[in-house]
Amino acid sequence: MTPASRPATLQTIGEFGLIRELQKYCQTLHADVIQGIGDDAAILRTSNTQALIASTDLAIEGVHFDFAFESFKDVGHRIAVANISDIAAMGGTPKFLLVAMAVPPSYAVKDLRALYQGFKKPCQAHGISLVGGDTSASKAGLFLSLTILGEVPPKQVLTRQGAKVGDKVYVTGTLGDSKAGLQILQRQAKHKTPKAPQPYEMFLKKRHLRPTPRVAIGQHLASHHLAHSAIDVSDGLSGDIHHLCEASQVGVELWASHIPLSSQCQAYTASLRHNPIDFALAGGEDYELLFTIAPRHQSKVFDLSKSLRTQMTCIGEIKPKSHGLRLKLEGGTSRNMTRQSYDHFSVTGIQS
Ligand code: ADP
Ligand code: MG
C-alpha cells in the first residue's frame, strides 16, 4: 500500500484531528445547546436565566497518573481540580461531580478511600457535591472518568470564541511549574537514592500535585463582563493559545519576556540549562486562566489581581488572523509559535 492509500490512523491525525472528525457526528440540533463540542465544557440552557455547564475527563493509570511518585490522595485531588478548572474557564460555578471508575480487584480498599479523600478536599473548598458514578473491575490499572456539572447565567458565559483584535492577553499565576514538578517527581522515583533536596523542589512538586482552580477569577471576569474570551491552561500555553485563537479566528503576538515564571521554576530550569519559557509553552496542567480583555479594562484587571491576591500578567496582544501566532523574543525578533503541547496519539506525545 502506498502511504497515500493507507488508512489514516490516530497517530497521523492526532487527538484534535480525531475530535474534529467525531464532531461531524455530533450536530447540536437543540436550540438550548449554547456551546457544544469545542470548548472547555458544554453550555446547556436550562431556563432564561441559567445554563448548565457540563464537562467530562478521563484519567488513566500510566497515562495521566503514576503511583510510582504520587499517592491515591494526590491523584484524586489533581484530577478533581482538572475538572473544576474547566468550569472556571467558562466563568461558572461548579456544583456536582460524578465519578466512574474501573479498578483492578487486587487494589486495597484503603487506597480507594484515599482517592476519595483526594476528591473531597477541592470539592469541599468549592462547595461541590459528589453525587454518583459507576464502578467496574479493570484488567489493567485504574481508569477514572469524572463528570462535573456547574451553572452560569447564559449572558455571562465565557468561551474561547470572543477574542477581538487589539485585546490584551492575560494569564493568572505562573506557568511551567507543574511540568517542572512532574519532572522532579519522575526523576526522584527513578533514582531511589535521593540527592539533597533543592529548595525549589517542594514548591514545584506541590504545584503539580495540588494545583489551584481559578474559580473566583473566572466568575469575576464573567459576571463583570471583563473578558472577551478565556481558556484554562491545561495543555501548555502554546497549545491553549492555539485553541483560543482558532476558536476566535484571530492571531496573536505573545511576549516571551512577559510570560510569568516562578523563581523556583527558573532555578530548576537553570540547573538543567533549559529555557524556562519552553516549560511554560509546552508544560501542561498548570490550570491557570488565559483570557483576553479590551485594553480599557486593564486597570480593572489590576484591581482584581490585588483584591484576589493572584498574579495576573499581560503577556501579549490579539492580532488579525493573517498575523498568525507569533512569539516576540527578547531583542525584538519574533518566531512562529508552534504547538508544543501533549497529544495523546502522536508518536512523540507532542503536537506539531
Ligand atoms: P479539555 O482539555 O479542556 O478537557 P479536551 O481537549 O479534552 O478539553 O476536548 C476538547 C473538546 O472536544 C471539548 O469540547 C470536549 O467536550 C470535546 N471532546 C473530546 N473528546 C470527545 C469525544 N470523544 N466525543 C465528543 N466530544 C469530545
Ligand atoms: Mg480545559
Side-chain angles (χ1 to χ4, degrees):
M1 241 193 267
T2 63
S5 63
R6 213 173 279 152
T9 66
L10 302 186
Q11 277 172 347
T12 52
I13 66 168
E15 179 185 350
F16 295 99
L18 174 66
I19 295 173
R20 270 194 295 275
E21 197 58 41
L22 300 179
Q23 204 165 351
K24 296 174 192 160
Y25 299 88
C26 310
Q27 284 102 335
T28 51
L29 302 172
H30 209 288
D32 287 334
V33 178
I34 298 172
Q35 173 67 57
I37 294 174
D39 216 299
D40 290 302
I43 307 282
L44 314 162
R45 191 191 312 276
T46 49
S47 73
N48 282 340
T49 55
Q50 277 306 340
L52 183 71
I53 315 179
S55 174
T56 195
D57 263 323
L58 272 177
I60 312 296
E61 185 175 348
V63 179
H64 299 92
F65 57 86
D66 187 341
F67 294 124
F69 55 80
E70 53 189 331
S71 68
F72 280 76
K73 194 170 172 181
D74 291 331
V75 170
H77 188 111
R78 198 160 63 76
I79 303 305
V81 168
N83 266 243
I84 298 168
S85 178
D86 280 327
I87 304 286
M90 313 295 296
T93 305
K95 297 198 96 166
F96 306 110
L97 184 69
L98 294 120
V99 179
M101 61 182 184
V103 198
S106 60
Y107 278 27
V109 177
K110 74 169 175 41
D111 288 336
L112 278 308
R113 283 198 198 107
L115 179 73
Y116 272 63
Q117 273 173 3
F119 292 145
K120 196 170 161 187
K121 201 142 179 239
C123 284
Q124 265 181 347
H126 294 281
I128 300 164
S129 306
L130 205 161
V131 292
D134 196 23
T135 304
S136 155
S138 158
K139 290 189 174 165
L142 177 63
F143 288 67
L144 295 168
S145 165
L146 272 61
T147 300
I148 192 156
L149 303 172
E151 262 183 348
V152 68
K155 287 197 175 126
Q156 289 181 18
V157 65
L158 274 178
T159 69
R160 301 174 179 183
Q161 285 165 33
K164 295 187 170 45
V165 174
D167 273 5
K168 299 292 180 194
V169 180
Y170 274 77
V171 72
T172 61
T174 52
L175 299 178
D177 296 336
S178 180
K179 180 181 163 81
L182 174 62
Q183 278 193 357
I184 293 168
L185 287 161
Q186 286 172 330
R187 196 192 61 222
Q188 288 179 343
K190 210 164 149 195
H191 308 289
K192 287 269 175 342
T193 45
K195 285 200 304 182
Q198 297 295 325
Y200 49 75
E201 289 185 359
M202 278 301 287
F203 171 86
L204 295 171
K205 287 197 282 189
K206 193 158 175 238
R207 288 276 289 159
H208 179 72
L209 296 173
R210 300 291 156 100
T212 311
R214 301 297 192 182
V215 176
I217 297 172
Q219 285 171 337
H220 190 102
L221 293 173
S223 61
H224 290 75
H225 300 283
L226 276 184
H228 284 151
S229 66
I231 184 169
D232 68 329
V233 185
S234 55
D235 291 340
L237 178 61
S238 66
D240 289 313
I241 194 73
H242 264 86
H243 291 317
L244 188 139
C245 286
E246 200 173 302
S248 296
Q249 292 292 299
V250 293
V252 73
E253 178 180 270
L254 293 187
W255 309 317
S257 61
H258 290 230
I259 294 174
L261 301 164
S262 67
S263 58
Q264 291 89 343
C265 183
Q266 293 183 60
Y268 171 70
T269 50
S271 76
L272 300 173
R273 295 175 202 280
H274 284 171
N275 185 350
I277 298 293
D278 291 334
F279 274 58
L281 292 172
E285 301 185 279
D286 283 313
Y287 302 116
E288 297 295 349
L289 283 190
L290 181 68
F291 57 94
T292 74
I293 60 155
R296 68 177 189 283
H297 288 324
Q298 279 187 287
S299 64
K300 290 187 184 154
V301 171
F302 180 77
D303 294 343
L304 179 64
S305 159
K306 271 212 309 206
S307 69
L308 295 178
R309 296 208 186 115
T310 306
Q311 188 176 341
M312 294 181 200
T313 314
C314 181
I315 58 167
E317 196 175 288
I318 295 295
K319 300 283 186 189
K321 192 173 181 197
S322 57
H323 180 89
L325 284 82
R326 301 196 62 83
L327 182 69
K328 199 167 172 191
L329 306 169
E330 266 159 287
T333 57
S334 77
R335 67 165 164 87
N336 263 335
M337 198 165 30
T338 50
R339 287 184 205 205
Q340 298 173 42
S341 46
Y342 190 78
D343 186 305
H344 277 284
F345 300 121
S346 104
V347 185
T348 59
I350 300 288
Q351 238 176 5
S352 53

